[in-house]
Amino acid sequence: MSQATTKRGGFGGKLAAILAAAGSAIGLGNIWRFPYITSENGGGAFILIYLGCILLLGLPLLIAEFAVGHNSKCNPIDAYAKLRKGWGWLGAMGIVSVFLIMGYYFVISGWTLNYTIASATDSIGSDFGGFFSSFTTATWRPLIYTYLFIIANHFIIVGGVQGGIEKASKVMMPLLFAILIILAIYSLWLPEGREALTNVFTPDFSKVSGSTFLAAMGQAFFTLSVGMGAMLIYGSYFKDGTKIAGTAISVVSLDTLVALIAAVIIFSAGVENENGPQLAFVAMPKVFSTMPLGNIWATLFFLLLGLAALSSTISMHEAVTSYFVEKRGMSRNKGAIIVTVATILLATAASLSLGDWSDFKIAGMNIFSLLDNFTAIVMLPLLGILTAIFVGWLWKSEDMKAELTAQGGVDKATYPVIRFLLRYVCPVLVSVVFVFGIIEFIKNL
Ligand code: PFF
């Protein structure tokens, strides 16, 4: 372990901690994924189940991960190993998962860049589906945008925790909130929007099945970035005295608010019948094209998506880079270069798998879908179960208690609730949903 010799970076204050962690949480998961998953799973009914998952599973797990990071002040692998000998593999599992997510997440991030430019220059045309499929299945065009996005990320990471991540979050997050509010006011101002909105948020329980619960849980974990070391590494950069639970509550509230507002924006545009991942990239430009000043709205929307993606991808990159810096003793520059190059290779495979390499399939899926499904359906629930067991059962309870009650700012009465959720509710509930989800997934293969 060489971290003793490496001076660790850290966030300058509480606001920086909240903005950076909210930046990790708020991403494509909120603006691209949440609306289409909601519309596929019964609208309001899904949202209720999702909110339940956020409160009962996501929030305690986020608190747990912040606490592990803050207490150990280490990269994910050393963090678990320091708190309990022989458990470093749990951090490694998180790092591998986040790296696999980076493989496809950066590709979609690249799309947002292309769409922002194409909207601003009015070059999408009128065949929205055609534009999307010819762009995403092309060889070089999507790759170039993906690489640009990865390189932007690289420079933020190389800037350091305070000079890069904190600074970028302080600029990006307020901008993101401002764009979100402008778009929300505009959509609610449209009368047809208000009507579409009531339809979508009215719960339709007939669409709820076992897989709805799995989808809601997976979405809750994904959107809060839990289990994968990203929140752990940010927790490790929190200043002493940062309120762990308070920060987690702020992050969860902001994240949930953004997801709901994004759903309002998208559904009030009247696109609730266009399901699937293409919702943001095909249906939205189409809707914007019929509005006055449509190009401006579309540009703002894709800029919003891009900013959200960038603030999330830096936390992923940082989780992996911290391993090379602290565990392998590399300079930040060198560690970041290794992660960037490896990401470029994986993202290239994911992007090509939508076009030139689309015939190459594993278990019926191309590389892009495989990375998405394997992490969302297998790795995220597993990491959720293991993190809950680790913090609830294996980590010395006095340490966790001290972390949360002394500096962490949870009053003594709340601590037993969090502990109960981590010891019993999370492992049991996540396991049940996980097992049923896997069975259903295999059946559908
Ligand atoms: N929470 C991000 C989103 O909702 O888009 C995704 C994410 C970020 C996943 C960071 C994992 C991670 F480590």
PDB file of all heavy atoms in Angstrom, residues 7 12 38 100 108 120 135 141 164 189 195-196 214 243 251 257 291 329 353 362 415 434:
ATOM      1  N   LYS A   7      -0.018  12.139  -1.074  1.00  0.00           N
ATOM      2  CA  LYS A   7      -0.883  13.097  -0.402  1.00  0.00           C
ATOM      3  C   LYS A   7      -2.251  13.024  -1.056  1.00  0.00           C
ATOM      4  O   LYS A   7      -2.385  13.206  -2.245  1.00  0.00           O
ATOM      5  CB  LYS A   7      -0.282  14.498  -0.540  1.00  0.00           C
ATOM      6  CG  LYS A   7      -0.847  15.442   0.479  1.00  0.00           C
ATOM      7  CD  LYS A   7      -0.318  16.846   0.287  1.00  0.00           C
ATOM      8  CE  LYS A   7      -1.164  17.854   1.045  1.00  0.00           C
ATOM      9  NZ  LYS A   7      -2.593  17.783   0.757  1.00  0.00           N
ATOM     10  N   GLY A  12     -13.094  20.869  -0.770  1.00  0.00           N
ATOM     11  CA  GLY A  12     -12.856  22.021   0.084  1.00  0.00           C
ATOM     12  C   GLY A  12     -13.910  22.230   1.167  1.00  0.00           C
ATOM     13  O   GLY A  12     -13.628  22.801   2.206  1.00  0.00           O
ATOM     14  N   THR A  38     -39.908   4.393 -16.692  1.00  0.00           N
ATOM     15  CA  THR A  38     -41.182   4.707 -16.054  1.00  0.00           C
ATOM     16  C   THR A  38     -42.339   4.452 -17.017  1.00  0.00           C
ATOM     17  O   THR A  38     -43.330   3.829 -16.658  1.00  0.00           O
ATOM     18  CB  THR A  38     -41.205   6.199 -15.611  1.00  0.00           C
ATOM     19  OG1 THR A  38     -40.155   6.392 -14.684  1.00  0.00           O
ATOM     20  CG2 THR A  38     -42.517   6.567 -14.956  1.00  0.00           C
ATOM     21  N   LEU A 100     -17.009  -1.440 -16.474  1.00  0.00           N
ATOM     22  CA  LEU A 100     -17.886  -1.992 -17.516  1.00  0.00           C
ATOM     23  C   LEU A 100     -18.992  -0.992 -17.870  1.00  0.00           C
ATOM     24  O   LEU A 100     -19.359  -0.840 -19.038  1.00  0.00           O
ATOM     25  CB  LEU A 100     -18.507  -3.312 -17.041  1.00  0.00           C
ATOM     26  CG  LEU A 100     -17.510  -4.450 -16.783  1.00  0.00           C
ATOM     27  CD1 LEU A 100     -18.233  -5.700 -16.290  1.00  0.00           C
ATOM     28  CD2 LEU A 100     -16.723  -4.774 -18.060  1.00  0.00           C
ATOM     29  N   ILE A 108     -23.047   6.715 -25.021  1.00  0.00           N
ATOM     30  CA  ILE A 108     -24.262   7.551 -25.008  1.00  0.00           C
ATOM     31  C   ILE A 108     -23.883   9.008 -24.714  1.00  0.00           C
ATOM     32  O   ILE A 108     -24.456   9.938 -25.282  1.00  0.00           O
ATOM     33  CB  ILE A 108     -25.260   7.039 -23.945  1.00  0.00           C
ATOM     34  CG1 ILE A 108     -25.506   5.548 -24.124  1.00  0.00           C
ATOM     35  CG2 ILE A 108     -26.586   7.792 -24.041  1.00  0.00           C
ATOM     36  CD1 ILE A 108     -26.278   4.919 -22.992  1.00  0.00           C
ATOM     37  N   ALA A 120     -28.013  22.679 -32.320  1.00  0.00           N
ATOM     38  CA  ALA A 120     -27.638  24.092 -32.393  1.00  0.00           C
ATOM     39  C   ALA A 120     -27.467  24.540 -33.840  1.00  0.00           C
ATOM     40  O   ALA A 120     -27.762  25.682 -34.186  1.00  0.00           O
ATOM     41  CB  ALA A 120     -26.355  24.332 -31.612  1.00  0.00           C
ATOM     42  N   PHE A 135     -26.611   7.542 -37.415  1.00  0.00           N
ATOM     43  CA  PHE A 135     -25.479   8.042 -36.609  1.00  0.00           C
ATOM     44  C   PHE A 135     -24.940   6.959 -35.673  1.00  0.00           C
ATOM     45  O   PHE A 135     -23.734   6.694 -35.637  1.00  0.00           O
ATOM     46  CB  PHE A 135     -25.907   9.279 -35.807  1.00  0.00           C
ATOM     47  CG  PHE A 135     -24.930   9.662 -34.730  1.00  0.00           C
ATOM     48  CD1 PHE A 135     -23.648  10.097 -35.060  1.00  0.00           C
ATOM     49  CD2 PHE A 135     -25.268   9.573 -33.382  1.00  0.00           C
ATOM     50  CE1 PHE A 135     -22.717  10.433 -34.066  1.00  0.00           C
ATOM     51  CE2 PHE A 135     -24.352   9.903 -32.381  1.00  0.00           C
ATOM     52  CZ  PHE A 135     -23.080  10.329 -32.733  1.00  0.00           C
ATOM     53  N   ARG A 141     -18.145   8.353 -36.811  1.00  0.00           N
ATOM     54  CA  ARG A 141     -18.765   9.552 -36.211  1.00  0.00           C
ATOM     55  C   ARG A 141     -19.076   9.387 -34.722  1.00  0.00           C
ATOM     56  O   ARG A 141     -18.654  10.201 -33.903  1.00  0.00           O
ATOM     57  CB  ARG A 141     -19.991   9.968 -37.016  1.00  0.00           C
ATOM     58  CG  ARG A 141     -19.530  10.776 -38.234  1.00  0.00           C
ATOM     59  CD  ARG A 141     -20.529  11.727 -38.800  1.00  0.00           C
ATOM     60  NE  ARG A 141     -21.916  11.379 -38.624  1.00  0.00           N
ATOM     61  CZ  ARG A 141     -22.824  12.259 -38.204  1.00  0.00           C
ATOM     62  NH1 ARG A 141     -22.486  13.476 -37.887  1.00  0.00           N
ATOM     63  NH2 ARG A 141     -24.077  11.894 -38.111  1.00  0.00           N
ATOM     64  N   GLY A 164      -9.922  19.874 -10.235  1.00  0.00           N
ATOM     65  CA  GLY A 164     -10.635  19.305 -11.380  1.00  0.00           C
ATOM     66  C   GLY A 164     -12.085  18.999 -11.044  1.00  0.00           C
ATOM     67  O   GLY A 164     -13.003  19.705 -11.474  1.00  0.00           O
ATOM     68  N   TRP A 189     -45.927  25.002 -19.309  1.00  0.00           N
ATOM     69  CA  TRP A 189     -46.655  26.121 -19.866  1.00  0.00           C
ATOM     70  C   TRP A 189     -47.484  25.650 -21.083  1.00  0.00           C
ATOM     71  O   TRP A 189     -48.507  26.224 -21.431  1.00  0.00           O
ATOM     72  CB  TRP A 189     -45.624  27.188 -20.242  1.00  0.00           C
ATOM     73  CG  TRP A 189     -46.148  28.400 -20.897  1.00  0.00           C
ATOM     74  CD1 TRP A 189     -46.986  29.326 -20.344  1.00  0.00           C
ATOM     75  CD2 TRP A 189     -45.870  28.841 -22.219  1.00  0.00           C
ATOM     76  NE1 TRP A 189     -47.239  30.315 -21.240  1.00  0.00           N
ATOM     77  CE2 TRP A 189     -46.569  30.048 -22.397  1.00  0.00           C
ATOM     78  CE3 TRP A 189     -45.086  28.345 -23.269  1.00  0.00           C
ATOM     79  CZ2 TRP A 189     -46.512  30.758 -23.587  1.00  0.00           C
ATOM     80  CZ3 TRP A 189     -45.032  29.048 -24.453  1.00  0.00           C
ATOM     81  CH2 TRP A 189     -45.740  30.250 -24.605  1.00  0.00           C
ATOM     82  N   GLU A 195     -51.781  17.983 -19.812  1.00  0.00           N
ATOM     83  CA  GLU A 195     -52.712  16.855 -19.945  1.00  0.00           C
ATOM     84  C   GLU A 195     -51.953  15.532 -20.012  1.00  0.00           C
ATOM     85  O   GLU A 195     -52.244  14.580 -19.297  1.00  0.00           O
ATOM     86  CB  GLU A 195     -53.523  17.044 -21.220  1.00  0.00           C
ATOM     87  CG  GLU A 195     -54.756  16.194 -21.263  1.00  0.00           C
ATOM     88  CD  GLU A 195     -55.435  16.378 -22.616  1.00  0.00           C
ATOM     89  OE1 GLU A 195     -55.569  17.548 -23.044  1.00  0.00           O
ATOM     90  OE2 GLU A 195     -55.760  15.350 -23.226  1.00  0.00           O
ATOM     91  N   ALA A 196     -50.911  15.516 -20.851  1.00  0.00           N
ATOM     92  CA  ALA A 196     -50.096  14.292 -21.007  1.00  0.00           C
ATOM     93  C   ALA A 196     -49.509  13.882 -19.667  1.00  0.00           C
ATOM     94  O   ALA A 196     -49.423  12.704 -19.331  1.00  0.00           O
ATOM     95  CB  ALA A 196     -48.982  14.534 -22.005  1.00  0.00           C
ATOM     96  N   LEU A 214     -37.785  -5.349 -10.039  1.00  0.00           N
ATOM     97  CA  LEU A 214     -36.371  -5.427 -10.396  1.00  0.00           C
ATOM     98  C   LEU A 214     -35.936  -4.156 -11.127  1.00  0.00           C
ATOM     99  O   LEU A 214     -34.876  -3.597 -10.851  1.00  0.00           O
ATOM    100  CB  LEU A 214     -36.099  -6.658 -11.270  1.00  0.00           C
ATOM    101  CG  LEU A 214     -34.622  -6.836 -11.606  1.00  0.00           C
ATOM    102  CD1 LEU A 214     -33.831  -7.261 -10.381  1.00  0.00           C
ATOM    103  CD2 LEU A 214     -34.423  -7.865 -12.718  1.00  0.00           C
ATOM    104  N   LYS A 243     -21.289  16.056   7.306  1.00  0.00           N
ATOM    105  CA  LYS A 243     -22.367  15.196   7.788  1.00  0.00           C
ATOM    106  C   LYS A 243     -22.685  14.137   6.734  1.00  0.00           C
ATOM    107  O   LYS A 243     -23.194  14.442   5.660  1.00  0.00           O
ATOM    108  CB  LYS A 243     -23.616  16.022   8.072  1.00  0.00           C
ATOM    109  CG  LYS A 243     -23.466  16.944   9.259  1.00  0.00           C
ATOM    110  CD  LYS A 243     -24.781  17.683   9.498  1.00  0.00           C
ATOM    111  CE  LYS A 243     -24.848  18.344  10.856  1.00  0.00           C
ATOM    112  NZ  LYS A 243     -23.819  19.356  11.084  1.00  0.00           N
ATOM    113  N   VAL A 251     -28.206  14.515  -1.466  1.00  0.00           N
ATOM    114  CA  VAL A 251     -27.936  13.931  -2.783  1.00  0.00           C
ATOM    115  C   VAL A 251     -29.169  13.169  -3.296  1.00  0.00           C
ATOM    116  O   VAL A 251     -29.594  13.320  -4.439  1.00  0.00           O
ATOM    117  CB  VAL A 251     -26.710  12.988  -2.720  1.00  0.00           C
ATOM    118  CG1 VAL A 251     -26.548  12.185  -3.996  1.00  0.00           C
ATOM    119  CG2 VAL A 251     -25.444  13.805  -2.445  1.00  0.00           C
ATOM    120  N   LEU A 257     -35.507  14.613  -7.348  1.00  0.00           N
ATOM    121  CA  LEU A 257     -36.157  15.781  -7.923  1.00  0.00           C
ATOM    122  C   LEU A 257     -35.825  15.908  -9.416  1.00  0.00           C
ATOM    123  O   LEU A 257     -36.701  16.139 -10.249  1.00  0.00           O
ATOM    124  CB  LEU A 257     -35.652  17.024  -7.168  1.00  0.00           C
ATOM    125  CG  LEU A 257     -36.509  18.252  -7.276  1.00  0.00           C
ATOM    126  CD1 LEU A 257     -37.811  18.024  -6.513  1.00  0.00           C
ATOM    127  CD2 LEU A 257     -35.775  19.460  -6.667  1.00  0.00           C
ATOM    128  N   MET A 291     -42.047  22.977 -32.041  1.00  0.00           N
ATOM    129  CA  MET A 291     -42.241  24.115 -31.135  1.00  0.00           C
ATOM    130  C   MET A 291     -41.584  25.363 -31.691  1.00  0.00           C
ATOM    131  O   MET A 291     -40.580  25.276 -32.399  1.00  0.00           O
ATOM    132  CB  MET A 291     -41.586  23.814 -29.782  1.00  0.00           C
ATOM    133  CG  MET A 291     -42.218  22.676 -29.036  1.00  0.00           C
ATOM    134  SD  MET A 291     -41.263  22.391 -27.539  1.00  0.00           S
ATOM    135  CE  MET A 291     -42.211  21.035 -26.843  1.00  0.00           C
ATOM    136  N   GLY A 329       0.643   2.948  -6.750  1.00  0.00           N
ATOM    137  CA  GLY A 329       1.666   3.958  -6.538  1.00  0.00           C
ATOM    138  C   GLY A 329       2.012   4.792  -7.762  1.00  0.00           C
ATOM    139  O   GLY A 329       3.120   5.305  -7.879  1.00  0.00           O
ATOM    140  N   SER A 353     -20.322  -2.214 -31.703  1.00  0.00           N
ATOM    141  CA  SER A 353     -21.260  -3.344 -31.589  1.00  0.00           C
ATOM    142  C   SER A 353     -22.674  -2.949 -32.011  1.00  0.00           C
ATOM    143  O   SER A 353     -23.547  -3.793 -32.179  1.00  0.00           O
ATOM    144  CB  SER A 353     -21.275  -3.900 -30.166  1.00  0.00           C
ATOM    145  OG  SER A 353     -22.050  -3.082 -29.320  1.00  0.00           O
ATOM    146  N   ILE A 362     -23.221 -12.208 -27.592  1.00  0.00           N
ATOM    147  CA  ILE A 362     -23.028 -13.153 -26.495  1.00  0.00           C
ATOM    148  C   ILE A 362     -24.366 -13.243 -25.789  1.00  0.00           C
ATOM    149  O   ILE A 362     -24.946 -12.205 -25.436  1.00  0.00           O
ATOM    150  CB  ILE A 362     -21.929 -12.660 -25.512  1.00  0.00           C
ATOM    151  CG1 ILE A 362     -20.600 -12.504 -26.258  1.00  0.00           C
ATOM    152  CG2 ILE A 362     -21.783 -13.611 -24.325  1.00  0.00           C
ATOM    153  CD1 ILE A 362     -19.498 -11.862 -25.455  1.00  0.00           C
ATOM    154  N   TYR A 415     -30.072   6.346  13.963  1.00  0.00           N
ATOM    155  CA  TYR A 415     -29.034   5.356  13.669  1.00  0.00           C
ATOM    156  C   TYR A 415     -29.571   3.915  13.657  1.00  0.00           C
ATOM    157  O   TYR A 415     -29.290   3.159  12.712  1.00  0.00           O
ATOM    158  CB  TYR A 415     -27.856   5.516  14.639  1.00  0.00           C
ATOM    159  CG  TYR A 415     -26.867   4.398  14.507  1.00  0.00           C
ATOM    160  CD1 TYR A 415     -26.062   4.286  13.381  1.00  0.00           C
ATOM    161  CD2 TYR A 415     -26.782   3.412  15.494  1.00  0.00           C
ATOM    162  CE1 TYR A 415     -25.189   3.232  13.243  1.00  0.00           C
ATOM    163  CE2 TYR A 415     -25.907   2.355  15.362  1.00  0.00           C
ATOM    164  CZ  TYR A 415     -25.115   2.267  14.235  1.00  0.00           C
ATOM    165  OH  TYR A 415     -24.265   1.220  14.092  1.00  0.00           O
ATOM    166  N   PHE A 434     -33.543  -9.921  -6.705  1.00  0.00           N
ATOM    167  CA  PHE A 434     -32.442 -10.361  -7.566  1.00  0.00           C
ATOM    168  C   PHE A 434     -32.715 -11.762  -8.126  1.00  0.00           C
ATOM    169  O   PHE A 434     -32.657 -11.994  -9.330  1.00  0.00           O
ATOM    170  CB  PHE A 434     -31.151 -10.359  -6.738  1.00  0.00           C
ATOM    171  CG  PHE A 434     -29.939 -10.859  -7.472  1.00  0.00           C
ATOM    172  CD1 PHE A 434     -29.548 -10.295  -8.666  1.00  0.00           C
ATOM    173  CD2 PHE A 434     -29.164 -11.887  -6.937  1.00  0.00           C
ATOM    174  CE1 PHE A 434     -28.409 -10.737  -9.327  1.00  0.00           C
ATOM    175  CE2 PHE A 434     -28.033 -12.340  -7.590  1.00  0.00           C
ATOM    176  CZ  PHE A 434     -27.657 -11.767  -8.793  1.00  0.00           C
TER     177      PHE A 434
END
